Amino acid sequence: MSHFFRENHHFDTLVQEFENRLPALRAGGAMRIWSAGCSNGQEALSAAISLLEHTPDAAKLDIRILATDIDPEVVQFARNGIYPERFMRGVPEGMMTKYFVKDHSDDTEPHYKVRPILSDMIRVNELNLLSAWPMTKRFDVIFCRNVVIYFDAATQSRLWPRFREALSPDGILFLGHSERISEPGTFGFECTGPTTYRPQAP
C-alpha cells in the first residue's frame, strides 16, 4: 500500500520547482507532472495538495497530473478517490478537512472522498511502463518511485533513456529511496539531490 507524502523531501523539491515556474504559469504557461506507478493514487494527490498548500489558486493554473499504473484495480481505486481512514496516514487533520469529505456510511471504518479541487487536477490511466507510452508532450516532473526496483538491471537501462526523453530539458525525475541510476551521465542525467535527477546539460 502506498502512503500520502511518502519521502516528503521530494514534495518539498516539487514545491520549490513550482515556485520557480509560477511566474510563467501565471503568464499562461503549463506544468505537467507524471506519477508513474501511482498505485492507489496517494502520490498524485500528495503532489496536488503540495501545490495547493503553497498557492491556493493553483487549480486555476494550467497544471495537470497524470497518474498511471499497470494494475486496473488500483487504477479504478484511484479514479474513485475514496480512501479508508487507515489509508490516510500522513495527512494532517487540517488537510483532510480541506481536501476530503468524510463519509461514515461504512460502519466498520470512516472513508474520505477526494474533493473536486484535487480530482480535477488529476487524470488516472492504465499504463505498462515496459510498453509504448502514448503521451506526446514532455513532463516537467516525473515521479517513478519504488517501481524500477522490481526490474532487472537490463530493463532499468532501457527505461532511463525513455524517462530522459519524456522529461522537459529542465525537468526532474524522482526515484524511490532504495533506487539509483547507476552512472547517470551515461543516460543523460545528473543527480541533484537524494534520489533526484535532472537531464544533463548538453
mmCIF file of all heavy atoms in Angstrom, residues 104-155:
data_model
loop_
_atom_site.group_PDB
_atom_site.id
_atom_site.type_symbol
_atom_site.label_atom_id
_atom_site.label_comp_id
_atom_site.label_asym_id
_atom_site.label_seq_id
_atom_site.Cartn_x
_atom_site.Cartn_y
_atom_site.Cartn_z
ATOM 1 N N HIS A 104 -19.255 8.483 6.751
ATOM 2 C CA HIS A 104 -19.441 7.491 7.814
ATOM 3 C C HIS A 104 -20.383 6.368 7.391
ATOM 4 O O HIS A 104 -20.836 5.592 8.233
ATOM 5 C CB HIS A 104 -20.003 8.161 9.077
ATOM 6 C CG HIS A 104 -19.045 9.114 9.728
ATOM 7 N ND1 HIS A 104 -18.062 8.704 10.589
ATOM 8 C CD2 HIS A 104 -18.930 10.454 9.631
ATOM 9 C CE1 HIS A 104 -17.371 9.751 11.008
ATOM 10 N NE2 HIS A 104 -17.874 10.836 10.445
ATOM 11 N N SER A 105 -20.700 6.265 6.117
ATOM 12 C CA SER A 105 -21.693 5.278 5.686
ATOM 13 C C SER A 105 -21.220 3.841 5.897
ATOM 14 O O SER A 105 -22.030 2.927 6.017
ATOM 15 C CB SER A 105 -22.046 5.496 4.209
ATOM 16 O OG SER A 105 -20.906 5.372 3.389
ATOM 17 N N ASP A 106 -19.903 3.630 5.932
ATOM 18 C CA ASP A 106 -19.356 2.300 6.217
ATOM 19 C C ASP A 106 -19.242 2.160 7.731
ATOM 20 O O ASP A 106 -18.524 2.917 8.383
ATOM 21 C CB ASP A 106 -17.990 2.143 5.558
ATOM 22 C CG ASP A 106 -17.445 0.724 5.665
ATOM 23 O OD1 ASP A 106 -17.736 0.062 6.676
ATOM 24 O OD2 ASP A 106 -16.741 0.279 4.744
ATOM 25 N N ASP A 107 -19.965 1.191 8.296
ATOM 26 C CA ASP A 107 -19.987 1.034 9.752
ATOM 27 C C ASP A 107 -18.635 0.612 10.316
ATOM 28 O O ASP A 107 -18.359 0.829 11.499
ATOM 29 C CB ASP A 107 -21.049 -0.012 10.152
ATOM 30 C CG ASP A 107 -22.461 0.469 9.871
ATOM 31 O OD1 ASP A 107 -22.657 1.696 9.808
ATOM 32 O OD2 ASP A 107 -23.348 -0.379 9.703
ATOM 33 N N THR A 108 -17.787 -0.002 9.484
ATOM 34 C CA THR A 108 -16.533 -0.537 10.008
ATOM 35 C C THR A 108 -15.436 0.509 10.111
ATOM 36 O O THR A 108 -14.588 0.440 10.992
ATOM 37 C CB THR A 108 -16.025 -1.695 9.118
ATOM 38 O OG1 THR A 108 -15.795 -1.211 7.796
ATOM 39 C CG2 THR A 108 -17.067 -2.816 9.077
ATOM 40 N N GLU A 109 -15.448 1.475 9.238
ATOM 41 C CA GLU A 109 -14.346 2.440 9.191
ATOM 42 C C GLU A 109 -14.765 3.668 8.403
ATOM 43 O O GLU A 109 -15.340 3.546 7.323
ATOM 44 C CB GLU A 109 -13.130 1.779 8.528
ATOM 45 C CG GLU A 109 -11.891 2.630 8.453
ATOM 46 C CD GLU A 109 -10.725 1.892 7.807
ATOM 47 O OE1 GLU A 109 -10.968 0.809 7.217
ATOM 48 O OE2 GLU A 109 -9.603 2.381 7.884
ATOM 49 N N PRO A 110 -14.481 4.867 8.899
ATOM 50 C CA PRO A 110 -14.763 6.065 8.111
ATOM 51 C C PRO A 110 -13.956 6.071 6.807
ATOM 52 O O PRO A 110 -12.851 5.535 6.745
ATOM 53 C CB PRO A 110 -14.322 7.214 9.026
ATOM 54 C CG PRO A 110 -14.290 6.627 10.393
ATOM 55 C CD PRO A 110 -13.919 5.185 10.215
ATOM 56 N N HIS A 111 -14.521 6.678 5.771
ATOM 57 C CA HIS A 111 -13.839 6.816 4.493
ATOM 58 C C HIS A 111 -13.746 8.295 4.133
ATOM 59 O O HIS A 111 -14.526 9.117 4.628
ATOM 60 C CB HIS A 111 -14.587 6.061 3.389
ATOM 61 C CG HIS A 111 -14.390 4.583 3.427
ATOM 62 N ND1 HIS A 111 -14.749 3.802 4.496
ATOM 63 C CD2 HIS A 111 -13.844 3.734 2.504
ATOM 64 C CE1 HIS A 111 -14.449 2.534 4.249
ATOM 65 N NE2 HIS A 111 -13.906 2.472 3.050
ATOM 66 N N TYR A 112 -12.806 8.616 3.266
ATOM 67 C CA TYR A 112 -12.575 10.002 2.866
ATOM 68 C C TYR A 112 -12.624 10.097 1.342
ATOM 69 O O TYR A 112 -11.866 9.427 0.645
ATOM 70 C CB TYR A 112 -11.223 10.496 3.385
ATOM 71 C CG TYR A 112 -11.191 10.658 4.886
ATOM 72 C CD1 TYR A 112 -10.984 9.561 5.718
ATOM 73 C CD2 TYR A 112 -11.402 11.902 5.479
ATOM 74 C CE1 TYR A 112 -10.968 9.694 7.096
ATOM 75 C CE2 TYR A 112 -11.380 12.048 6.861
ATOM 76 C CZ TYR A 112 -11.172 10.945 7.665
ATOM 77 O OH TYR A 112 -11.162 11.085 9.035
ATOM 78 N N LYS A 113 -13.504 10.934 0.856
ATOM 79 C CA LYS A 113 -13.688 11.145 -0.575
ATOM 80 C C LYS A 113 -12.924 12.392 -1.013
ATOM 81 O O LYS A 113 -13.040 13.454 -0.399
ATOM 82 C CB LYS A 113 -15.183 11.312 -0.894
ATOM 83 C CG LYS A 113 -15.503 11.767 -2.310
ATOM 84 C CD LYS A 113 -15.210 10.702 -3.337
ATOM 85 C CE LYS A 113 -15.656 11.129 -4.729
ATOM 86 N NZ LYS A 113 -15.276 10.163 -5.779
ATOM 87 N N VAL A 114 -12.152 12.248 -2.082
ATOM 88 C CA VAL A 114 -11.370 13.364 -2.602
ATOM 89 C C VAL A 114 -12.296 14.464 -3.118
ATOM 90 O O VAL A 114 -13.242 14.199 -3.853
ATOM 91 C CB VAL A 114 -10.443 12.872 -3.735
ATOM 92 C CG1 VAL A 114 -9.696 14.046 -4.359
ATOM 93 C CG2 VAL A 114 -9.463 11.834 -3.217
ATOM 94 N N ARG A 115 -12.023 15.692 -2.735
ATOM 95 C CA ARG A 115 -12.809 16.822 -3.222
ATOM 96 C C ARG A 115 -12.424 17.144 -4.679
ATOM 97 O O ARG A 115 -11.294 16.900 -5.104
ATOM 98 C CB ARG A 115 -12.589 18.055 -2.346
ATOM 99 C CG ARG A 115 -13.167 17.936 -0.940
ATOM 100 C CD ARG A 115 -13.018 19.240 -0.179
ATOM 101 N NE ARG A 115 -13.449 19.126 1.211
ATOM 102 C CZ ARG A 115 -14.689 19.318 1.636
ATOM 103 N NH1 ARG A 115 -15.637 19.636 0.778
ATOM 104 N NH2 ARG A 115 -14.984 19.200 2.924
ATOM 105 N N PRO A 116 -13.349 17.733 -5.435
ATOM 106 C CA PRO A 116 -13.073 18.040 -6.844
ATOM 107 C C PRO A 116 -11.865 18.937 -7.073
ATOM 108 O O PRO A 116 -11.221 18.846 -8.115
ATOM 109 C CB PRO A 116 -14.359 18.720 -7.318
ATOM 110 C CG PRO A 116 -15.426 18.155 -6.434
ATOM 111 C CD PRO A 116 -14.767 17.978 -5.098
ATOM 112 N N ILE A 117 -11.523 19.806 -6.128
ATOM 113 C CA ILE A 117 -10.378 20.683 -6.317
ATOM 114 C C ILE A 117 -9.106 19.879 -6.556
ATOM 115 O O ILE A 117 -8.192 20.324 -7.262
ATOM 116 C CB ILE A 117 -10.195 21.644 -5.122
ATOM 117 C CG1 ILE A 117 -9.198 22.752 -5.486
ATOM 118 C CG2 ILE A 117 -9.784 20.898 -3.871
ATOM 119 C CD1 ILE A 117 -9.103 23.858 -4.465
ATOM 120 N N LEU A 118 -9.055 18.646 -6.002
ATOM 121 C CA LEU A 118 -7.930 17.748 -6.254
ATOM 122 C C LEU A 118 -8.171 16.887 -7.485
ATOM 123 O O LEU A 118 -7.328 16.809 -8.383
ATOM 124 C CB LEU A 118 -7.681 16.833 -5.047
ATOM 125 C CG LEU A 118 -7.142 17.437 -3.763
ATOM 126 C CD1 LEU A 118 -6.893 16.335 -2.743
ATOM 127 C CD2 LEU A 118 -5.854 18.212 -4.020
ATOM 128 N N SER A 119 -9.306 16.215 -7.510
ATOM 129 C CA SER A 119 -9.556 15.242 -8.581
ATOM 130 C C SER A 119 -9.566 15.895 -9.959
ATOM 131 O O SER A 119 -9.191 15.263 -10.955
ATOM 132 C CB SER A 119 -10.875 14.496 -8.337
ATOM 133 O OG SER A 119 -11.966 15.392 -8.248
ATOM 134 N N ASP A 120 -9.950 17.172 -10.038
ATOM 135 C CA ASP A 120 -9.977 17.854 -11.331
ATOM 136 C C ASP A 120 -8.574 18.110 -11.887
ATOM 137 O O ASP A 120 -8.421 18.355 -13.083
ATOM 138 C CB ASP A 120 -10.728 19.181 -11.222
ATOM 139 C CG ASP A 120 -12.228 18.989 -11.056
ATOM 140 O OD1 ASP A 120 -12.708 17.851 -11.207
ATOM 141 O OD2 ASP A 120 -12.918 19.981 -10.752
ATOM 142 N N MET A 121 -7.556 18.054 -11.035
ATOM 143 C CA MET A 121 -6.179 18.279 -11.470
ATOM 144 C C MET A 121 -5.512 16.991 -11.968
ATOM 145 O O MET A 121 -4.423 17.051 -12.544
ATOM 146 C CB MET A 121 -5.340 18.854 -10.321
ATOM 147 C CG MET A 121 -5.767 20.224 -9.852
ATOM 148 S SD MET A 121 -4.822 20.779 -8.391
ATOM 149 C CE MET A 121 -3.176 21.002 -9.102
ATOM 150 N N ILE A 122 -6.166 15.846 -11.733
ATOM 151 C CA ILE A 122 -5.500 14.558 -11.935
ATOM 152 C C ILE A 122 -6.269 13.707 -12.951
ATOM 153 O O ILE A 122 -7.501 13.624 -12.901
ATOM 154 C CB ILE A 122 -5.393 13.806 -10.594
ATOM 155 C CG1 ILE A 122 -4.576 14.627 -9.592
ATOM 156 C CG2 ILE A 122 -4.764 12.428 -10.784
ATOM 157 C CD1 ILE A 122 -4.638 14.102 -8.161
ATOM 158 N N ARG A 123 -5.537 13.068 -13.831
ATOM 159 C CA ARG A 123 -6.103 12.073 -14.735
ATOM 160 C C ARG A 123 -5.423 10.738 -14.449
ATOM 161 O O ARG A 123 -4.192 10.668 -14.357
ATOM 162 C CB ARG A 123 -5.862 12.472 -16.198
ATOM 163 C CG ARG A 123 -6.557 11.542 -17.202
ATOM 164 C CD ARG A 123 -6.443 12.061 -18.616
ATOM 165 N NE ARG A 123 -5.141 11.799 -19.201
ATOM 166 C CZ ARG A 123 -4.193 12.699 -19.406
ATOM 167 N NH1 ARG A 123 -4.381 13.960 -19.020
ATOM 168 N NH2 ARG A 123 -3.052 12.382 -19.967
ATOM 169 N N VAL A 124 -6.202 9.675 -14.292
ATOM 170 C CA VAL A 124 -5.669 8.360 -13.944
ATOM 171 C C VAL A 124 -5.901 7.398 -15.099
ATOM 172 O O VAL A 124 -7.028 7.221 -15.555
ATOM 173 C CB VAL A 124 -6.333 7.808 -12.655
ATOM 174 C CG1 VAL A 124 -5.646 6.524 -12.214
ATOM 175 C CG2 VAL A 124 -6.297 8.833 -11.531
ATOM 176 N N ASN A 125 -4.828 6.780 -15.579
ATOM 177 C CA ASN A 125 -4.921 5.855 -16.708
ATOM 178 C C ASN A 125 -4.116 4.592 -16.435
ATOM 179 O O ASN A 125 -3.157 4.601 -15.660
ATOM 180 C CB ASN A 125 -4.395 6.502 -17.997
ATOM 181 C CG ASN A 125 -5.342 7.539 -18.557
ATOM 182 O OD1 ASN A 125 -6.550 7.456 -18.357
ATOM 183 N ND2 ASN A 125 -4.802 8.522 -19.246
ATOM 184 N N GLU A 126 -4.492 3.534 -17.126
ATOM 185 C CA GLU A 126 -3.734 2.289 -17.071
ATOM 186 C C GLU A 126 -2.572 2.370 -18.053
ATOM 187 O O GLU A 126 -2.737 2.801 -19.189
ATOM 188 C CB GLU A 126 -4.657 1.123 -17.425
ATOM 189 C CG GLU A 126 -4.074 -0.241 -17.156
ATOM 190 C CD GLU A 126 -5.080 -1.355 -17.442
ATOM 191 O OE1 GLU A 126 -6.299 -1.087 -17.349
ATOM 192 O OE2 GLU A 126 -4.647 -2.477 -17.770
ATOM 193 N N LEU A 127 -1.369 1.959 -17.612
ATOM 194 C CA LEU A 127 -0.193 2.010 -18.478
ATOM 195 C C LEU A 127 0.859 1.020 -17.997
ATOM 196 O O LEU A 127 1.169 0.955 -16.803
ATOM 197 C CB LEU A 127 0.413 3.416 -18.483
ATOM 198 C CG LEU A 127 1.679 3.600 -19.331
ATOM 199 C CD1 LEU A 127 1.344 3.501 -20.813
ATOM 200 C CD2 LEU A 127 2.362 4.923 -19.025
ATOM 201 N N ASN A 128 1.395 0.268 -18.934
ATOM 202 C CA ASN A 128 2.522 -0.627 -18.669
ATOM 203 C C ASN A 128 3.796 0.120 -19.045
ATOM 204 O O ASN A 128 3.989 0.483 -20.215
ATOM 205 C CB ASN A 128 2.369 -1.903 -19.495
ATOM 206 C CG ASN A 128 3.463 -2.920 -19.226
ATOM 207 O OD1 ASN A 128 4.508 -2.600 -18.651
ATOM 208 N ND2 ASN A 128 3.242 -4.161 -19.657
ATOM 209 N N LEU A 129 4.679 0.364 -18.088
ATOM 210 C CA LEU A 129 5.896 1.121 -18.350
ATOM 211 C C LEU A 129 6.787 0.455 -19.393
ATOM 212 O O LEU A 129 7.594 1.123 -20.044
ATOM 213 C CB LEU A 129 6.693 1.324 -17.060
ATOM 214 C CG LEU A 129 6.177 2.378 -16.089
ATOM 215 C CD1 LEU A 129 7.037 2.396 -14.834
ATOM 216 C CD2 LEU A 129 6.159 3.756 -16.730
ATOM 217 N N LEU A 130 6.644 -0.855 -19.540
ATOM 218 C CA LEU A 130 7.503 -1.573 -20.482
ATOM 219 C C LEU A 130 6.931 -1.617 -21.897
ATOM 220 O O LEU A 130 7.573 -2.138 -22.803
ATOM 221 C CB LEU A 130 7.760 -2.996 -19.972
ATOM 222 C CG LEU A 130 8.377 -3.091 -18.569
ATOM 223 C CD1 LEU A 130 8.670 -4.536 -18.216
ATOM 224 C CD2 LEU A 130 9.628 -2.234 -18.463
ATOM 225 N N SER A 131 5.735 -1.054 -22.053
ATOM 226 C CA SER A 131 5.116 -0.968 -23.383
ATOM 227 C C SER A 131 5.284 0.441 -23.935
ATOM 228 O O SER A 131 5.966 1.275 -23.338
ATOM 229 C CB SER A 131 3.638 -1.343 -23.296
ATOM 230 O OG SER A 131 3.483 -2.668 -22.837
ATOM 231 N N ALA A 132 4.635 0.713 -25.057
ATOM 232 C CA ALA A 132 4.705 2.051 -25.649
ATOM 233 C C ALA A 132 3.998 3.060 -24.743
ATOM 234 O O ALA A 132 3.001 2.738 -24.095
ATOM 235 C CB ALA A 132 4.056 2.038 -27.026
ATOM 236 N N TRP A 133 4.529 4.262 -24.708
ATOM 237 C CA TRP A 133 3.909 5.346 -23.945
ATOM 238 C C TRP A 133 3.167 6.260 -24.915
ATOM 239 O O TRP A 133 3.788 6.833 -25.826
ATOM 240 C CB TRP A 133 4.969 6.145 -23.193
ATOM 241 C CG TRP A 133 5.755 5.338 -22.195
ATOM 242 C CD1 TRP A 133 5.516 4.048 -21.794
ATOM 243 C CD2 TRP A 133 6.920 5.760 -21.483
ATOM 244 N NE1 TRP A 133 6.449 3.647 -20.871
ATOM 245 C CE2 TRP A 133 7.328 4.669 -20.658
ATOM 246 C CE3 TRP A 133 7.658 6.943 -21.451
ATOM 247 C CZ2 TRP A 133 8.441 4.740 -19.827
ATOM 248 C CZ3 TRP A 133 8.758 7.018 -20.617
ATOM 249 C CH2 TRP A 133 9.146 5.940 -19.816
ATOM 250 N N PRO A 134 1.872 6.443 -24.747
ATOM 251 C CA PRO A 134 1.109 7.232 -25.714
ATOM 252 C C PRO A 134 1.259 8.745 -25.538
ATOM 253 O O PRO A 134 0.824 9.507 -26.400
ATOM 254 C CB PRO A 134 -0.338 6.796 -25.438
ATOM 255 C CG PRO A 134 -0.336 6.426 -23.987
ATOM 256 C CD PRO A 134 1.013 5.823 -23.727
ATOM 257 N N MET A 135 1.853 9.192 -24.431
ATOM 258 C CA MET A 135 1.952 10.630 -24.172
ATOM 259 C C MET A 135 2.889 11.273 -25.194
ATOM 260 O O MET A 135 3.956 10.746 -25.479
ATOM 261 C CB MET A 135 2.462 10.888 -22.761
ATOM 262 C CG MET A 135 1.591 10.237 -21.689
ATOM 263 S SD MET A 135 2.050 8.523 -21.348
ATOM 264 C CE MET A 135 3.536 8.737 -20.383
ATOM 265 N N THR A 136 2.482 12.420 -25.706
ATOM 266 C CA THR A 136 3.273 13.096 -26.730
ATOM 267 C C THR A 136 4.004 14.329 -26.197
ATOM 268 O O THR A 136 5.010 14.736 -26.769
ATOM 269 C CB THR A 136 2.383 13.517 -27.905
ATOM 270 O OG1 THR A 136 1.310 14.342 -27.416
ATOM 271 C CG2 THR A 136 1.793 12.290 -28.597
ATOM 272 N N LYS A 137 3.508 14.909 -25.115
ATOM 273 C CA LYS A 137 4.151 16.100 -24.553
ATOM 274 C C LYS A 137 5.081 15.697 -23.408
ATOM 275 O O LYS A 137 4.854 14.704 -22.718
ATOM 276 C CB LYS A 137 3.098 17.093 -24.056
ATOM 277 C CG LYS A 137 2.269 17.676 -25.182
ATOM 278 C CD LYS A 137 1.304 18.728 -24.658
ATOM 279 C CE LYS A 137 0.500 19.344 -25.802
ATOM 280 N NZ LYS A 137 -0.456 20.371 -25.328
ATOM 281 N N ARG A 138 6.103 16.492 -23.208
ATOM 282 C CA ARG A 138 7.079 16.197 -22.161
ATOM 283 C C ARG A 138 6.570 16.663 -20.799
ATOM 284 O O ARG A 138 5.728 17.554 -20.692
ATOM 285 C CB ARG A 138 8.417 16.859 -22.489
ATOM 286 C CG ARG A 138 9.108 16.228 -23.697
ATOM 287 C CD ARG A 138 10.487 16.821 -23.911
ATOM 288 N NE ARG A 138 11.210 16.114 -24.963
ATOM 289 C CZ ARG A 138 12.468 16.353 -25.280
ATOM 290 N NH1 ARG A 138 13.148 17.286 -24.634
ATOM 291 N NH2 ARG A 138 13.055 15.658 -26.237
ATOM 292 N N PHE A 139 7.137 16.042 -19.778
ATOM 293 C CA PHE A 139 6.740 16.339 -18.403
ATOM 294 C C PHE A 139 7.797 17.192 -17.715
ATOM 295 O O PHE A 139 8.995 17.045 -17.958
ATOM 296 C CB PHE A 139 6.536 15.046 -17.615
ATOM 297 C CG PHE A 139 5.369 14.228 -18.097
ATOM 298 C CD1 PHE A 139 5.548 13.241 -19.059
ATOM 299 C CD2 PHE A 139 4.097 14.456 -17.604
ATOM 300 C CE1 PHE A 139 4.475 12.491 -19.511
ATOM 301 C CE2 PHE A 139 3.012 13.714 -18.054
ATOM 302 C CZ PHE A 139 3.201 12.736 -19.014
ATOM 303 N N ASP A 140 7.326 18.051 -16.826
ATOM 304 C CA ASP A 140 8.232 18.866 -16.025
ATOM 305 C C ASP A 140 8.722 18.112 -14.801
ATOM 306 O O ASP A 140 9.823 18.369 -14.310
ATOM 307 C CB ASP A 140 7.525 20.156 -15.611
ATOM 308 C CG ASP A 140 7.030 20.926 -16.819
ATOM 309 O OD1 ASP A 140 7.876 21.386 -17.608
ATOM 310 O OD2 ASP A 140 5.799 21.045 -16.986
ATOM 311 N N VAL A 141 7.897 17.208 -14.313
ATOM 312 C CA VAL A 141 8.247 16.401 -13.138
ATOM 313 C C VAL A 141 7.718 14.988 -13.357
ATOM 314 O O VAL A 141 6.567 14.813 -13.756
ATOM 315 C CB VAL A 141 7.637 16.986 -11.838
ATOM 316 C CG1 VAL A 141 7.976 16.106 -10.644
ATOM 317 C CG2 VAL A 141 8.120 18.419 -11.606
ATOM 318 N N ILE A 142 8.572 14.000 -13.092
ATOM 319 C CA ILE A 142 8.151 12.603 -13.134
ATOM 320 C C ILE A 142 8.485 11.946 -11.799
ATOM 321 O O ILE A 142 9.623 11.990 -11.347
ATOM 322 C CB ILE A 142 8.836 11.819 -14.275
ATOM 323 C CG1 ILE A 142 8.458 12.394 -15.644
ATOM 324 C CG2 ILE A 142 8.440 10.342 -14.209
ATOM 325 C CD1 ILE A 142 9.188 11.730 -16.810
ATOM 326 N N PHE A 143 7.470 11.386 -11.168
ATOM 327 C CA PHE A 143 7.664 10.522 -10.006
ATOM 328 C C PHE A 143 7.633 9.080 -10.512
ATOM 329 O O PHE A 143 6.632 8.644 -11.070
ATOM 330 C CB PHE A 143 6.531 10.693 -8.997
ATOM 331 C CG PHE A 143 6.508 11.989 -8.243
ATOM 332 C CD1 PHE A 143 5.903 13.122 -8.790
ATOM 333 C CD2 PHE A 143 7.060 12.089 -6.974
ATOM 334 C CE1 PHE A 143 5.859 14.318 -8.091
ATOM 335 C CE2 PHE A 143 7.015 13.284 -6.268
ATOM 336 C CZ PHE A 143 6.420 14.399 -6.821
ATOM 337 N N CYS A 144 8.713 8.341 -10.314
ATOM 338 C CA CYS A 144 8.699 6.900 -10.580
ATOM 339 C C CYS A 144 9.414 6.244 -9.403
ATOM 340 O O CYS A 144 10.604 5.924 -9.469
ATOM 341 C CB CYS A 144 9.376 6.573 -11.901
ATOM 342 S SG CYS A 144 9.209 4.815 -12.333
ATOM 343 N N ARG A 145 8.677 6.077 -8.330
ATOM 344 C CA ARG A 145 9.281 5.693 -7.056
ATOM 345 C C ARG A 145 8.835 4.294 -6.647
ATOM 346 O O ARG A 145 7.654 3.964 -6.707
ATOM 347 C CB ARG A 145 8.911 6.718 -5.983
ATOM 348 C CG ARG A 145 9.247 8.158 -6.419
ATOM 349 C CD ARG A 145 9.064 9.171 -5.324
ATOM 350 N NE ARG A 145 7.711 9.163 -4.779
ATOM 351 C CZ ARG A 145 7.365 9.806 -3.673
ATOM 352 N NH1 ARG A 145 8.251 10.513 -3.017
ATOM 353 N NH2 ARG A 145 6.123 9.769 -3.243
ATOM 354 N N ASN A 146 9.816 3.502 -6.240
ATOM 355 C CA ASN A 146 9.550 2.138 -5.772
ATOM 356 C C ASN A 146 8.856 1.304 -6.853
ATOM 357 O O ASN A 146 7.967 0.509 -6.564
ATOM 358 C CB ASN A 146 8.720 2.176 -4.478
ATOM 359 C CG ASN A 146 9.343 3.085 -3.438
ATOM 360 O OD1 ASN A 146 10.488 2.876 -3.046
ATOM 361 N ND2 ASN A 146 8.613 4.098 -3.015
ATOM 362 N N VAL A 147 9.295 1.518 -8.085
ATOM 363 C CA VAL A 147 8.776 0.780 -9.242
ATOM 364 C C VAL A 147 9.911 0.022 -9.931
ATOM 365 O O VAL A 147 9.865 -1.193 -10.070
ATOM 366 C CB VAL A 147 8.078 1.724 -10.257
ATOM 367 C CG1 VAL A 147 7.631 0.942 -11.485
ATOM 368 C CG2 VAL A 147 6.883 2.417 -9.610
ATOM 369 N N VAL A 148 10.953 0.766 -10.338
ATOM 370 C CA VAL A 148 12.034 0.133 -11.109
ATOM 371 C C VAL A 148 12.854 -0.843 -10.269
ATOM 372 O O VAL A 148 13.597 -1.661 -10.820
ATOM 373 C CB VAL A 148 12.966 1.185 -11.751
ATOM 374 C CG1 VAL A 148 12.200 2.042 -12.737
ATOM 375 C CG2 VAL A 148 13.641 2.051 -10.698
ATOM 376 N N ILE A 149 12.722 -0.774 -8.961
ATOM 377 C CA ILE A 149 13.426 -1.726 -8.099
ATOM 378 C C ILE A 149 13.009 -3.165 -8.406
ATOM 379 O O ILE A 149 13.745 -4.120 -8.143
ATOM 380 C CB ILE A 149 13.180 -1.384 -6.605
ATOM 381 C CG1 ILE A 149 14.175 -2.132 -5.713
ATOM 382 C CG2 ILE A 149 11.734 -1.659 -6.200
ATOM 383 C CD1 ILE A 149 14.109 -1.729 -4.271
ATOM 384 N N TYR A 150 11.834 -3.323 -9.006
ATOM 385 C CA TYR A 150 11.334 -4.663 -9.341
ATOM 386 C C TYR A 150 11.817 -5.133 -10.723
ATOM 387 O O TYR A 150 11.508 -6.251 -11.120
ATOM 388 C CB TYR A 150 9.812 -4.680 -9.283
ATOM 389 C CG TYR A 150 9.276 -4.372 -7.899
ATOM 390 C CD1 TYR A 150 8.685 -3.145 -7.607
ATOM 391 C CD2 TYR A 150 9.391 -5.312 -6.873
ATOM 392 C CE1 TYR A 150 8.213 -2.865 -6.331
ATOM 393 C CE2 TYR A 150 8.921 -5.040 -5.593
ATOM 394 C CZ TYR A 150 8.335 -3.810 -5.338
ATOM 395 O OH TYR A 150 7.877 -3.533 -4.075
ATOM 396 N N PHE A 151 12.543 -4.275 -11.438
ATOM 397 C CA PHE A 151 13.058 -4.627 -12.759
ATOM 398 C C PHE A 151 14.540 -4.979 -12.664
ATOM 399 O O PHE A 151 15.260 -4.427 -11.825
ATOM 400 C CB PHE A 151 12.883 -3.465 -13.744
ATOM 401 C CG PHE A 151 11.456 -3.027 -13.937
ATOM 402 C CD1 PHE A 151 11.148 -1.697 -14.140
ATOM 403 C CD2 PHE A 151 10.419 -3.949 -13.910
ATOM 404 C CE1 PHE A 151 9.835 -1.278 -14.328
ATOM 405 C CE2 PHE A 151 9.108 -3.545 -14.101
ATOM 406 C CZ PHE A 151 8.809 -2.212 -14.308
ATOM 407 N N ASP A 152 14.991 -5.847 -13.548
ATOM 408 C CA ASP A 152 16.417 -6.176 -13.548
ATOM 409 C C ASP A 152 17.207 -5.019 -14.165
ATOM 410 O O ASP A 152 16.643 -4.065 -14.717
ATOM 411 C CB ASP A 152 16.684 -7.493 -14.284
ATOM 412 C CG ASP A 152 16.233 -7.490 -15.744
ATOM 413 O OD1 ASP A 152 16.225 -6.416 -16.366
ATOM 414 O OD2 ASP A 152 15.892 -8.574 -16.254
ATOM 415 N N ALA A 153 18.534 -5.109 -14.052
ATOM 416 C CA ALA A 153 19.395 -4.002 -14.475
ATOM 417 C C ALA A 153 19.237 -3.693 -15.960
ATOM 418 O O ALA A 153 19.249 -2.521 -16.366
ATOM 419 C CB ALA A 153 20.849 -4.327 -14.148
ATOM 420 N N ALA A 154 19.084 -4.738 -16.775
ATOM 421 C CA ALA A 154 18.943 -4.524 -18.219
ATOM 422 C C ALA A 154 17.659 -3.751 -18.530
ATOM 423 O O ALA A 154 17.658 -2.845 -19.381
ATOM 424 C CB ALA A 154 18.951 -5.861 -18.949
ATOM 425 N N THR A 155 16.567 -4.095 -17.844
ATOM 426 C CA THR A 155 15.299 -3.392 -18.068
ATOM 427 C C THR A 155 15.400 -1.950 -17.600
ATOM 428 O O THR A 155 14.919 -1.031 -18.278
ATOM 429 C CB THR A 155 14.160 -4.118 -17.344
ATOM 430 O OG1 THR A 155 14.093 -5.474 -17.790
ATOM 431 C CG2 THR A 155 12.821 -3.446 -17.614
#
